[in-house]
Amino acid sequence: MTSTDLPPSLIPTLSGDHYTDPAYFAREQQYLLERMWFCAVRTDELDKPGRFRTIQVGRESVLVTRARDGSVRAFLNICRHRGAQLCTQESGEVRRSFQCPYHAWTYGLDGKLVAAPNLTSMPDIDRTAYGLINVHVREWLGHVWVCLADEPPSFEDDVIGAVTDRLGDAEAIDHYGIEQLRVGRRITYDVKANWKLIIENFMECYHCATIHPELTEVLPEFADGLAAQYYVGHGAEFSEEAKGFTIDGSEGLDRIPTVTEDQDRRYYAITVRPQVFINLVPDHVIFHRMYPMAHDRTIVECDWLYLPDVVESGKDVEHSVELFHRVNQQDFDACERTQPGMSSRAYAAGGVLVPSEHHIGAFHTWLRDRLAKEEANT
């Protein structure tokens, strides 16, 4: 059945090979993940010079650190000598420099080559030119965003614009003060599914009544199948019985004081392509970062962010965390259940989207257009 044979209520999805073909995933790595702004790490994890994290962006390992002048820097995590990976740890701290464990080429926190065996006998080596390869960096919403492209796309259009398009107001997210919040809990999920399945799942709520009973108790409109993201500026309203955004509807934690009355007792979900989900509620923010690792594997790092006083006082956040942790588990189980079907002959031409999912079709159009544009510019 072709798309022209479908009834008006249905539109086609991507074909199954978009989720199973390693060659297609390699295109996404090269032309999307390595050319767009990618949310790498929470800024306060780099709280002093020498602190670092390594993260996977497309095919590249990226080293993010804080330099001695207080600036955040990012580099390809590759020694310029023979290509050994410089840092093999996911996170850590160095005092003054990064040293390659293979031949001891050593780089300052600014990426400059500062030492190597017999380096003084090679005066023709430019220590800046043979320093680490720089990666573009921006800081926003308390996070470090990196871009591997030689000429990055507009951060204002791609990242800030995505938030503005969803909330209808560029300043609406500022009321949550995400830069000042602190991580109360972090859970990392290893999901055996293609990254696009995770995005598509997050964008729609047609499945909510089926697999999210706890969420629909707190947000009853989700049981009708229309996600809050379907409407610009709309936040799903808490049920009258729910006192907070918690697993049992019990009282939440200290409300973020700058949240407006219009934002109180409402839930907003935002997708920032290609790998960020932001969930806003009055007393905390849930921030997902996806790291696509293979065509059938995605690491998702999820932070629950609260006011500093909540975290520092040791208040119990379990009821708050458990609600969306359970939602994550339910969603990722569904994605893992879907991944094998992508290689079935029954899905060779793809599936269909019902009206409440038609905005996923817009995501598919964006994906095809962005890939074509980036490939054409190569």
Side-chain angles (χ1 to χ4, degrees):
M1 179 178 290
T2 66
S3 59
T4 56
D5 297 324
L6 294 175
S9 294
L10 303 177
I11 62 174
T13 69
L14 298 173
S15 57
D17 58 349
H18 286 74
Y19 305 87
T20 61
D21 186 350
Y24 193 91
F25 179 69
R27 287 178 62 208
E28 294 172 336
Q29 288 180 303
Q30 180 176 359
Y31 297 113
L32 290 181
L33 303 179
E34 294 174 18
R35 294 197 181 181
M36 296 186 68
W37 286 101
F38 193 100
C39 190
V41 60
R42 183 82 184 153
T43 304
D44 57 17
E45 292 182 68
L46 309 174
D47 58 351
K48 62 179 180 177
R51 286 277 172 90
F52 71 86
R53 268 201 68 178
T54 58
I55 54 111
Q56 192 72 22
V57 181
R59 299 163 298 176
E60 297 283 1
S61 175
V62 175
L63 170 64
V64 188
T65 190
R66 191 170 296 279
R68 296 183 66 81
D69 64 1
S71 64
V72 173
R73 303 293 298 271
F75 312 98
L76 297 185
N77 186 23
I78 296 295
C79 179
R80 297 298 306 284
H81 171 222
R82 296 272 297 281
Q85 192 169 79
L86 194 61
C87 291
T88 56
Q89 293 176 288
E90 182 179 298
S91 62
E93 181 180 347
V94 296
R95 291 190 62 185
R96 294 181 177 273
S97 58
F98 296 98
Q99 185 175 85
C100 178
Y102 193 4
H103 294 94
W105 277 40
T106 304
Y107 305 88
L109 301 182
D110 60 358
K112 184 178 180 180
L113 177 65
V114 295
N118 306 317
L119 184 60
T120 55
S121 66
M122 298 176 278
D124 56 333
I125 292 181
D126 185 319
R127 298 191 182 201
T128 299
Y130 283 88
L132 300 177
I133 301 297
N134 280 284
V135 170
H136 298 282
V137 171
R138 282 287 296 265
E139 292 183 64
W140 191 56
L141 298 181
H143 289 78
V144 178
W145 306 68
V146 301
C147 184
L148 275 59
D150 291 337
E151 296 183 12
S154 168
F155 190 88
E156 286 70 23
D157 290 346
D158 277 13
V159 179
I160 299 175
V163 174
T164 303
D165 289 346
R166 167 65 186 93
L167 297 180
D169 178 358
E171 298 179 358
I173 200 166
D174 295 338
H175 301 305
Y176 293 85
I178 299 176
E179 293 87 348
Q180 284 74 48
L181 302 183
R182 296 291 179 266
V183 177
R185 180 66 55 81
R186 171 173 292 169
I187 300 178
T188 301
Y189 307 85
D190 194 336
V191 187
K192 298 176 179 64
N194 186 275
W195 67 281
K196 296 186 296 296
L197 291 177
I198 299 173
I199 284 187
E200 293 161 9
N201 172 276
F202 183 74
M203 290 177 69
E204 56 93 358
C205 212
Y206 190 46
H207 67 276
C208 287
T210 307
I211 70 173
H212 294 322
E214 300 87 359
L215 184 63
T216 54
E217 281 290 320
V218 178
L219 304 174
E221 70 180 68
F222 276 13
D224 295 331
L226 285 174
Q229 291 190 75
Y230 198 84
Y231 307 100
V232 174
H234 177 69
E237 192 170 3
F238 293 7
S239 70
E240 292 182 4
E241 296 78 16
K243 296 180 180 179
F245 195 72
T246 56
I247 188 64
D248 55 2
S250 59
E251 196 76 41
L253 295 148
D254 296 347
R255 174 180 160 185
I256 299 167
T258 47
V259 166
T260 67
E261 290 299 321
D262 289 343
Q263 294 169 324
D264 194 21
R265 294 186 56 78
R266 288 187 178 271
Y267 162 83
Y268 299 85
I270 306 164
T271 302
V272 182
R273 297 179 297 238
Q275 45 86 238
V276 171
F277 308 142
I278 307 171
N279 309 271
L280 308 171
V281 291
D283 63 336
H284 65 284
V285 171
I286 307 158
F287 206 104
H288 295 73
R289 295 187 300 276
M290 288 197 306
Y291 304 97
M293 307 299 289
H295 69 278
D296 57 357
R297 180 178 178 231
T298 308
I299 301 297
V300 183
E301 191 167 85
C302 184
D303 288 341
W304 281 259
L305 306 172
Y306 302 89
L307 290 169
D309 288 349
V310 170
V311 176
E312 293 163 7
S313 66
K315 289 184 178 179
D316 186 1
V317 299
E318 285 304 313
H319 284 73
S320 172
V321 169
E322 181 59 26
L323 175 57
F324 225 87
H325 173 50
R326 197 168 298 185
V327 169
N328 283 338
Q329 290 176 312
Q330 293 159 346
D331 280 340
F332 300 154
D333 284 348
C335 293
E336 291 184 341
R337 191 179 308 118
T338 304
Q339 181 66 34
M342 298 296 98
S343 59
S344 169
R345 69 187 70 181
Y347 210 81
V352 294
L353 299 168
V354 304
S356 63
E357 302 172 302
H358 281 190
H359 56 302
I360 295 176
F363 166 64
H364 294 163
T365 299
W366 168 85
L367 180 74
R368 286 187 289 254
D369 290 349
R370 188 86 184 215
L371 280 172
K373 176 184 174 182
E374 294 293 342
E375 287 178 315
N377 291 335
T378 298

